[in-house]
């Protein structure tokens, strides 16, 4: 084995060139806490998240709404933080972790589910960008051109890997935070301060659990794929703190910003709010770069999912293909289905993260055999059953409006893993992968 040391410039080049889509991230390519936090904040500082806050703001008084946003963001933050730790400990992407949990073919479902939902998010965001540009610059009739051009442009940095994410996020996050704070200040001034905000009566009704599920759904798909980036953390605690800070505090801020703007200006779309404030050029510039940071991480996510799906040691072809599919979806009107889409994400994706967490805690006990030394089962029926059970519980809970469906789905999946392991082993079904040396 070579003992040649890799210089910092060489490390950056290695990370940028391939990002290890089918292997563990080696220690030489790991990065510091600030780097990871910057990338994750760039991911969650996502203006369409404001749309979710705006949509549910019409159904609650301010105090009740704030409680919904805090509870939902706390659930999301803790869930993502645990997954981030697993990613940092193993150096693996979410879809590679799913290979351990669901088996060689079972992991393909995770790749389809996670990669597919991220492609849909890319399409939703492409429409958001085009709407902003069309309204701001009077480009009616050229919407499809704007969608195509912006979708291609925002995927470029994902093509070049983690380093591209880090640089762009570092530029856009402070600017976006400043813009949002200014909008909130203007909104409070228009509505008569926090007291006036609290007096605004809801115009619609929505079950509390449904609202929390929508909040969790804002980033449960992207959050489940946090190991894609936390695998670059040098220490697990860095991954935990960065993920909790980004998905609890960062995502909560975006929801609050969207809700306050919607209540004050009676506009459910943040683009409309900005245009009402005559923030045309500044808003377009800042928001475009903000959305770009999320689009690049989204493209990165469906890129590594595609790499696992087809066993190709490069994410780049799948980034290109995913963007092409997203453009087609964006031109079909997917934007209007966002609330329903978020609700479905809050039901079907959390149990997947839950089963990965449960498998890591109760079966592998925090220690995974290296990919190159593991002969994977085709399907791990025990964990697949735990996932299905968690999904059924989340779905039924949502349909009957009982409790918090995402939480119940996650917890059911976690607890079901050790139970299913014992049952399937008692039935004589193999539930553990073997070492290559054992064959």
């Amino acid at each position: 084995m070579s003992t040649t040391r890799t210089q910092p410039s060489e490390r950056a080049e290695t990370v940028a060139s391939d990002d290890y889509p089918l292997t563990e991230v080696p220690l030489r390519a790991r990065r510091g806490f600030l780097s990871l936090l910057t990338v994750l904040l760039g991911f969650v500082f996502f203006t369409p998240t404001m749309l979710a806050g705006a949509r549910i703001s019409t159904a609650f008084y301010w105090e009740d709404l704030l409680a919904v946003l805090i509870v939902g963001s706390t659930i999301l933050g803790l869930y993502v933080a645990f997954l981030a730790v697993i990613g940092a400990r193993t150096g693996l992407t979410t879809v590679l972790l799913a290979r351990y949990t669901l088996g060689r073919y079972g992991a393909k479902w995770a790749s389809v589910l996670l990669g597919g939902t991220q492609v849909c998010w890319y399409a939703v965001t492409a429409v958001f960008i085009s709407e902003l540009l069309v309204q701001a610059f009077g480009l009616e009739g050229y919407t499809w051109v704007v969608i195509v051009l912006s979708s291609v442009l925002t995927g470029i940095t994902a093509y070049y890997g983690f380093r591209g994410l880090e640089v762009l996020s570092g530029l856009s996050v402070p600017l976006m935070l400043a813009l949002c704070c200014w909008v909130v200040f203007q909104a409070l001034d228009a509505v008569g301060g926090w007291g006036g905000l609290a007096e605004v009566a809801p115009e619609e009704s929505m079950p509390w659990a449904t609202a929390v599920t929508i909040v969790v759904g804002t980033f449960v798909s992207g959050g489940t794929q946090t190991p894609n980036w936390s695998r670059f953390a040098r220490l697990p605690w860095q991954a935990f703190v960065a993920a909790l800070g980004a998905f609890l505090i960062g995502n909560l801020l975006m929801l609050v910003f969207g809700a306050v703007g919607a209540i004050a200006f009676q506009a459910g779309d943040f683009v409309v709010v900005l245009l009402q404030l005559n923030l045309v050029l500044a808003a377009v510039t800042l928001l475009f770069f903000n959305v770009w940071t999320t689009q690049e991480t989204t493209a990165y996510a469906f890129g590594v999912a595609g790499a696992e799906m087809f066993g190709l040691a490069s994410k780049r072809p799948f980034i290109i293909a995913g963007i092409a599919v997203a453009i087609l979806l964006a031109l079909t009107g997917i934007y209007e289905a966002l609330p329903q889409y978020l609700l479905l994400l809050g039901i079907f994706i959390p149990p997947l993260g839950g089963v990965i967490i449960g498998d890591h805690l109760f079966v592998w006990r925090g220690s995974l055999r290296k990919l190159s030394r593991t002969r994977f089962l085709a399907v791990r029926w025990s964990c697949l059953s735990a996932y299905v059970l968690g999904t059924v519980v989340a779905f039924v809970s949502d349909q009957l409006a009982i409790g918090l469906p995402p939480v119940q789905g996650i917890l059911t999946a976690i607890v079901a893993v050790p139970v299913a392991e014992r049952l399937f082993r008692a039935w004589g079904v193999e539930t553990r992968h073997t070492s290559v040396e054992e064959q």
Side-chain angles (χ1 to χ4, degrees), residues 6 13 71 78 106 121 123 189 212 247 278 346 351 356 427 431 439:
T6 304
E13 174 63 26
V71 170
L78 290 173
W121 259 126
D189 183 63
V212 171
F247 285 86
N278 295 318
I356 290 175
W427 295 335
T431 64
Q439 302 301 313

Side-chain angles (χ1 to χ4, degrees), residues 206-287:
M206 180 184 295
W208 199 83
T210 298
V212 171
T213 301
I214 290 176
V215 171
V216 175
T218 56
F219 256 100
V220 72
S221 175
T224 301
Q225 299 184 76
T226 299
N228 294 349
W229 306 286
S230 70
R231 65 196 174 114
F232 287 98
R234 292 194 180 103
L235 297 170
W237 73 262
Q238 294 174 333
F240 183 89
V241 174
L244 189 64
F247 285 86
L248 170 55
I249 299 175
N251 195 61
L252 175 61
L253 284 176
M254 298 305 289
L255 290 164
V256 169
F257 292 152
V260 171
I263 293 172
F265 296 106
Q266 298 299 302
D269 195 321
F270 192 65
V271 173
V272 176
V273 171
L274 291 171
L275 295 178
Q276 286 182 12
L277 292 171
N278 295 318
L279 290 173
V280 180
L281 184 59
V284 168
T285 302
L286 295 181
L287 284 177

Side-chain angles (χ1 to χ4, degrees), residues 153-173:
L153 179 61
T154 53
I156 290 175
T157 44
Y159 188 86
Y160 289 101
F162 190 95
R163 181 60 179 168
L165 311 183
E166 182 182 1
V167 171
L168 190 60
S169 296
L171 293 174
S172 72
V173 167

Side-chain angles (χ1 to χ4, degrees), residues 79-330:
Y79 165 73
V80 171
F82 280 114
L83 285 173
V85 169
I86 296 174
R89 284 179 173 174
T90 61
L92 298 173
T93 64
T94 302
V95 289
L96 289 179
L97 289 170
R99 189 181 294 181
Y100 284 92
T101 299
L102 300 178
R104 190 171 66 255
Y105 295 124
K108 305 304 179 186
W109 164 245
S111 297
V112 170
L113 180 65
L114 297 178
T117 54
Q118 290 305 100
V119 169
C120 290
W121 259 126
Y122 201 92
V124 168
T125 309
V127 176
F128 180 89
I129 294 174
S130 67
E131 183 179 281
L132 175 65
L133 295 175
V134 167
Q135 292 188 40
F137 299 113
L139 298 174
E140 289 80 5
Y142 297 94
T143 301
W144 71 271
V145 178
V146 177
I147 288 176
V148 172
L149 292 180
S150 62
S151 296
V152 172
L153 179 61
T154 53
I156 290 175
T157 44
Y159 188 86
Y160 289 101
F162 190 95
R163 181 60 179 168
L165 311 183
E166 182 182 1
V167 171
L168 190 60
S169 296
L171 293 174
S172 72
V173 167
L175 295 175
M176 188 61 195
L177 183 59
L179 173 65
C180 290
C181 288
W182 190 86
V183 170
V184 168
F185 177 81
Q186 294 295 316
L188 291 176
D189 183 63
V191 82
W194 293 108
L197 192 70
E199 294 175 359
V200 177
E203 301 174 354
E204 304 174 4
S205 62
M206 180 184 295
W208 199 83
T210 298
V212 171
T213 301
I214 290 176
V215 171
V216 175
T218 56
F219 256 100
V220 72
S221 175
T224 301
Q225 299 184 76
T226 299
N228 294 349
W229 306 286
S230 70
R231 65 196 174 114
F232 287 98
R234 292 194 180 103
L235 297 170
W237 73 262
Q238 294 174 333
F240 183 89
V241 174
L244 189 64
F247 285 86
L248 170 55
I249 299 175
N251 195 61
L252 175 61
L253 284 176
M254 298 305 289
L255 290 164
V256 169
F257 292 152
V260 171
I263 293 172
F265 296 106
Q266 298 299 302
D269 195 321
F270 192 65
V271 173
V272 176
V273 171
L274 291 171
L275 295 178
Q276 286 182 12
L277 292 171
N278 295 318
L279 290 173
V280 180
L281 184 59
V284 168
T285 302
L286 295 181
L287 284 177
F288 184 79
F289 278 99
N290 164 257
V291 173
W292 192 342
T293 62
T294 300
Q295 286 293 75
E296 64 177 354
T297 45
T298 301
Y300 186 100
F302 60 67
V304 296
E308 193 286 328
M309 179 74 181
F310 295 96
L312 184 64
S314 175
K315 65 186 183 305
R316 292 175 175 177
F318 304 102
I319 288 176
I320 295 171
I323 291 174
V325 173
I327 290 173
L328 293 177
L329 291 175

